[in-house]
Amino acid sequence: MKLDVGMLTHDLKSIPGYARKVEAMGYDCLWSSETQHDPFLPLAVAATVTSTIKLGTAIAVTFPRSPMVLAHIAWDLQKASDGRFILGLGTQVKGHNERRFSVKFESPGPKMREVVLALRAIWDCWQNGTKLAFKGQFYRFDLMTPFFNPGPIAHPKVPVYIAGVNQYMCRVAGEVCDGLHVHPFNSPTYLREYVQPAVNEGLAASKRRREDFTYITSTFAVVGDTEQELAQNRQAVKQQIAFYASTRT
């Protein structure tokens, strides 16, 4: 088990100090989420001032961005961090896709699977010169001229994790991804009886082992040095649980 930490600030001017601090404390990975701010920019800043801590998105919303756009962002962050970047993706729910991002929400499981496969095809083109000829149900990529090709990098294997709640998405994670972002609103029973069997099915389909796969889990924790801090943080956790429990799919 390894301990990670979240990006507690998205002020780009304060990120260098924060990133250095959590790296010195020994955390394994620094995760940036997509809520009120872009999830990638803070990691670009952190990549330039750290050397050992991994850097990842937990998560970036997938469908508002073309896989080509995601491929370029991930490639640049992987190069800037010397191979420490993890691309974490999630579908978000229908309401946010259609009403907040104004994008069509269709077949999220199959579409997410196709995004990951498209990313691999694009990166293979850039790294190995393979002709780009990806054609799926939702995306087609078959044009890559030298002017738009960033070329090979030293660490071309970009880990891709996806967020999954239902068993279909967990199977997709096991089949085509390097890891799964487990929803923080979980229980040991849910993980043991619902998530893990689905992931294992995906791993078996891709002929991979459990050792080839990573689970990223988070918990709701109330901490504080004073009763006032405990009360404030307890209320914050209550609000987060209420948000997750009341969000419509």
Side-chain angles (χ1 to χ4, degrees), residues 37-229:
H37 301 277
D38 179 88
F40 297 109
L41 287 176
L43 299 179
V45 176
T48 66
V49 297
T50 57
S51 59
T52 58
I53 192 170
K54 296 183 181 69
L55 306 167
T57 50
I59 50 77
V61 183
T62 305
F63 301 142
R65 301 176 174 94
S66 164
M68 185 63 71
V69 172
L70 288 170
H72 275 287
I73 295 171
W75 205 244
D76 288 343
L77 285 171
Q78 182 76 333
K79 181 178 180 180
S81 65
D82 295 319
R84 292 179 288 131
F85 178 64
I86 300 170
L87 179 60
L89 300 172
T91 64
Q92 248 300 353
V93 297
K94 181 178 181 180
H96 282 269
N97 276 269
E98 295 186 344
R99 298 170 57 199
R100 184 157 68 96
F101 291 104
S102 190
V103 294
K104 188 176 182 180
F105 191 71
E106 55 182 346
S107 305
K111 192 172 184 179
M112 176 66 86
R113 181 180 185 275
E114 194 168 299
V115 166
V116 177
L117 296 178
L119 288 170
R120 303 291 191 205
I122 294 167
W123 292 332
D124 183 46
C125 170
W126 293 345
Q127 186 68 22
N128 302 310
T130 307
K131 179 178 174 59
L132 183 59
F134 181 88
K135 185 176 182 180
Q137 179 183 355
F138 307 99
Y139 299 100
R140 186 187 77 179
F141 299 99
D142 55 18
L143 175 64
M144 182 54 59
T145 63
F147 189 76
F148 298 102
N149 187 332
I153 59 176
H155 304 278
K157 183 172 173 50
V158 182
V160 179
Y161 297 1
I162 63 171
V165 175
N166 61 50
Q167 287 190 313
Y168 186 97
M169 198 68 77
C170 293
R171 280 193 296 269
V172 169
E175 181 190 2
V176 301
C177 300
D178 303 286
L180 173 71
H181 280 287
V182 178
H183 198 286
F185 200 8
N186 64 63
S187 69
T189 300
Y190 165 73
L191 296 175
R192 183 175 55 252
E193 299 181 5
Y194 193 84
V195 173
Q196 289 184 341
V199 169
N200 289 339
E201 287 181 18
L203 289 172
S206 60
K207 295 181 173 57
R208 294 189 298 161
R209 301 172 301 168
R210 169 64 183 85
E211 293 77 13
D212 301 322
F213 193 82
T214 301
Y215 286 95
I216 303 297
T217 60
S218 58
T219 59
F220 296 112
V222 178
V223 297
D225 294 325
T226 66
E227 287 298 324
Q228 182 179 3
E229 289 180 354

Side-chain angles (χ1 to χ4, degrees), residues 5 8 14-27 30 49-50 53:
V5 65
L8 298 184
S14 64
I15 285 172
Y18 180 76
R20 291 191 189 101
K21 178 181 178 180
V22 296
E23 181 177 62
M25 293 173 69
Y27 284 105
L30 173 59
V49 297
T50 57
I53 192 170

